[in-house]
């Protein structure tokens, strides 16, 4: 089997989103044990000019959703960023898992050279071929927001280690 | 062009290691402006039981070096973790850039199914096929340590943004 655009994206998202579910479960457990409201996690930031915990998960899941939709040439569904509890963030991760698993390898064929156009708030859209989009935009961003989520939980004292970050080997 | 084990690894490392050089330059500039010794960055941690800044860069670079050596079936060079200044960490990133750029796409052919054996300190080695090793071990780890490096600098007030994290689009 050769590496493909599908094999380099969908299984990567599935693994990491599954890991995130485990982190969120451990975060809830930590809150229960320490008797604080787990909603408190949602506003945590690593720096005052960085996005909060809730946005890290929303952006990571948007990244996965947008990638599989764009590479397969289907419309990117719009999900409102309304999650206000840890349980709702968990549901969003689950919804993303369902969504990315709904695509087949065949739908990604030829997506290396598919033109991807991303609107930006500043004006001119970003344009990539599919391969550049996946390797240099989607995956670094996805791992950025996953790692920042993990770091915020570690910073909060949640019992997580590198094995939780990577998931089952 | 199809996605390959080479195209999914070497250019990814080259882009991100280049970005890291830029972060380190901005970190030095920040230290100069605020008149503190940039060596102070090296011991920073996001949590007391996480590895410090210097180790984040050492492990990220080790990840890139080990990946290209193992996927091409060559011996992994051993680099001592002796960096004691920001300039020395910068030199390590440059050395890694040189190293990963010394391999050709041909040397990675068939590496999807190459058996990769990683010794562990705990006992039994980790075993992967090359594709699993790249997608589920090397890249998540590499981005973990890159993002943690970035987060420590952001936490320190260094003027960095998402564009610095991703590099030239």
């Amino acid at each position: 089997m050769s590496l493909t655009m599908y094999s380099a994206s969908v299984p990567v998202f599935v693994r990491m989103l599954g890991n995130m579910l485990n982190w969120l479960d451990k975060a809830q457990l930590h809150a229960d044990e320490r008797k604080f409201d787990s909603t408190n996690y949602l506003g945590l930031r690593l720096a005052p000019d960085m996005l909060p915990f809730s946005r890290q998960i929303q952006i990571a899941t948007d990244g996965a959703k947008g990638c599989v939709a764009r590479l397969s040439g289907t419309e990117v569904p719009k999900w409102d960023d309304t999650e206000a509890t840890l349980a709702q963030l968990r549901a969003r991760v689950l919804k993303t898992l369902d969504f990315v698993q709904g695509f087949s390898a065949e739908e990604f064929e030829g997506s290396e050279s598919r033109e991807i156009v991303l609107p930006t708030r500043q004006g001119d859209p970003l344009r990539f071929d599919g391969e550049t989009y996946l390797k240099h935009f989607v995956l670094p961003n996805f791992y950025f927001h996953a790692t920042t989520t993990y770091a915020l939980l570690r910073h909060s004292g949640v019992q997580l280690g590198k094995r939780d970050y990577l998931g089952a080997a």
Side-chain angles (χ1 to χ4, degrees), chain A:
Chain A
M1 287 291 290
S2 289
L3 193 67
T4 64
M5 292 292 285
Y6 178 86
S7 78
S9 57
V10 171
V12 166
F13 297 138
V14 168
R15 166 79 70 99
M16 208 67 192
L17 292 166
N19 299 348
M20 289 172 82
L21 291 177
N22 177 43
W23 311 344
L24 296 181
D25 289 343
K26 290 198 172 188
Q28 184 61 55
L29 192 67
H30 181 69
D32 293 344
E33 284 173 356
R34 301 280 290 271
K35 298 189 172 44
F36 67 83
D37 182 350
S38 66
T39 305
N40 294 354
Y41 291 116
L42 275 66
L44 294 179
R45 301 174 194 261
L46 285 178
D49 57 346
M50 287 182 76
L51 292 169
F53 183 83
S54 55
R55 291 292 296 141
Q56 302 298 336
I57 294 179
Q58 288 160 349
I59 297 174
T61 52
D62 274 351
K65 166 183 66 126
C67 174
V68 297
R70 291 189 183 99
L71 290 181
S72 63
T74 57
E75 198 167 345
V76 183
K78 173 95 186 76
W79 295 350
D80 290 329
D81 295 327
T82 52
E83 291 81 7
T85 66
L86 204 62
Q88 287 170 3
L89 287 171
R90 192 183 196 288
R92 181 165 178 144
V93 175
L94 271 178
K95 186 177 170 185
T96 311
L97 265 170
D98 270 358
F99 183 77
V100 303
Q101 289 177 304
F103 291 81
S104 68
E106 289 69 32
E107 294 174 272
F108 281 55
E109 272 173 25
S111 62
E112 283 93 339
S113 53
R114 181 184 284 279
E115 188 186 30
I116 306 292
V117 181
L118 289 189
T120 64
R121 262 171 281 175
Q122 292 78 26
D124 289 343
L126 295 175
R127 291 174 189 276
F128 309 89
D129 61 74
E131 181 175 337
T132 302
Y133 168 67
L134 175 61
K135 292 188 325 192
H136 296 301
F137 186 82
V138 170
L139 291 179
N141 256 320
F142 179 71
Y143 282 123
F144 178 92
H145 294 289
T147 300
T148 304
T149 299
Y150 174 93
L152 284 164
L153 294 177
R154 288 286 272 102
H155 199 63
S156 305
V158 178
Q159 295 277 321
L160 292 171
K162 200 56 170 301
R163 198 169 295 188
D164 298 293
Y165 172 75
L166 287 173

